[in-house]
Each structure stands twice: as structure tokens, then as C-alpha cells.
Amino acid sequence: AANTLVRVPVGANRKILEADSVQAHGINWIDPPWQEIVIPLTQKDDFSSGTYQDVGGDFLYTVANFKGTILWYFEAVLKASGGATVSAQLYDKTAAAAISGSEVSTAATSYTRIRSAAITLVTANTIRVENKSTVGGQGAMSAARLIGVRSA
């Protein structure tokens, strides 16, 4: 099993949760009691495609692994060059469709963190990250993550 560090902010303090049981298609752990859950999906990727391309970062979402009501967001750190607008989104492999409301975009030429509005995930479905740039431009992504904010 691989190691993944999950950073969970609590006020001004940060705690690190080490999840040793990361599987190729999901993360299994006991839900931490903190208010924000950060699930890294993928690392750096340079791209220049005018259509969405699979970047990986598979995550099997299982609602039973999380207690309470959690609002989910997609967050990516992107930058553009060559006059491009770059975008990233979550794709539900199980449903074979983009996750509504997950797309984030920027034309910034320095790395910019962008968070989507709240999105709905379907339990037992595998999600992954996709990215694209406008035709003729290039983009880079330094991180993509799923953010869960406990609301109850």
C-alpha cells in the first residue's frame, strides 16, 4: 500500500493524517474528526489539449466512510501560458460523465488555486481528474484535490 498525507486544517493548527491503506482505486480510512478533509487526487501535469484529457487520480467515493453531512468541493492549482484559458474538472468514471459544477478555469499565468462550488458525489462511484487548455495554448496543474467540509 502507498502512503498519502491528508492535511486537515483545524483553526490555526494543522494536523496530518497518514493513510497507509491507499488503494489503486480509492482511499480507505476511518473518518477523521476534523472539520475539513483534504484528499489529494493527482500531482503535476503539463497539458495543451483543447479537449478534456484524463489525468488520473482515481478515488472511489464511499459515503459510509464519512460521518455527518459533508459538502464536497473540487480544487485545482492551475496556470496558463500562450494566451490560454486552462480548466480542470472531476469525471465520474462509473457514470461516464463529468461531475456537474466541478469545472474550474483560469487564464492566470502564475499558479492559482481555484475551488469549485459544492458538488454532489455518488457513493460507490470512481472519480478522476481531467484537464484541458484552449486550442493553441498550454497549461500546467501543480495539484488537484477533493475538499470535504463537515457542515453537521
Side-chain angles (χ1 to χ4, degrees):
N3 269 343
T4 292
L5 294 180
V6 180
R7 292 184 184 177
V8 186
V10 179
N13 300 322
R14 290 194 174 261
K15 296 186 183 251
I16 302 291
L17 171 67
E18 188 170 335
D20 286 323
S21 60
V22 176
Q23 304 299 317
H25 296 286
I27 298 175
N28 299 311
W29 76 74
I30 296 172
D31 185 26
W34 304 294
Q35 293 303 308
E36 187 170 284
I37 303 161
V38 180
I39 302 172
L41 296 174
T42 190
Q43 298 287 5
K44 187 172 177 70
D45 184 53
D46 295 326
F47 53 96
S48 60
S49 175
T51 59
Y52 272 110
Q53 301 295 311
D54 175 6
V55 183
D58 286 3
F59 175 72
L60 175 61
Y61 175 66
T62 307
V63 71
N65 288 348
F66 303 95
K67 294 176 177 59
T69 301
I70 299 183
L71 298 175
W72 291 103
Y73 302 87
F74 172 59
E75 186 175 274
V77 181
L78 301 167
K79 75 173 179 176
S81 63
T85 296
V86 295
S87 304
Q89 71 178 8
L90 290 176
Y91 181 80
D92 185 326
K93 285 178 54 178
T94 309
I99 295 177
S100 179
S102 70
E103 184 179 60
V104 295
S105 299
T106 188
T109 56
S110 59
Y111 279 110
T112 305
R113 181 175 54 92
I114 311 152
R115 186 179 285 194
S116 73
I119 57 176
T120 301
L121 302 178
V122 178
T123 195
N125 283 15
T126 299
I127 61 173
R128 71 172 11 168
V129 179
E130 296 182 323
N131 59 25
K132 71 175 182 177
S133 67
T134 51
V135 176
Q138 292 185 311
M141 180 172 63
S142 68
R145 52 194 159 248
L146 192 57
I147 308 290
V149 178
R150 194 177 317 279
S151 65

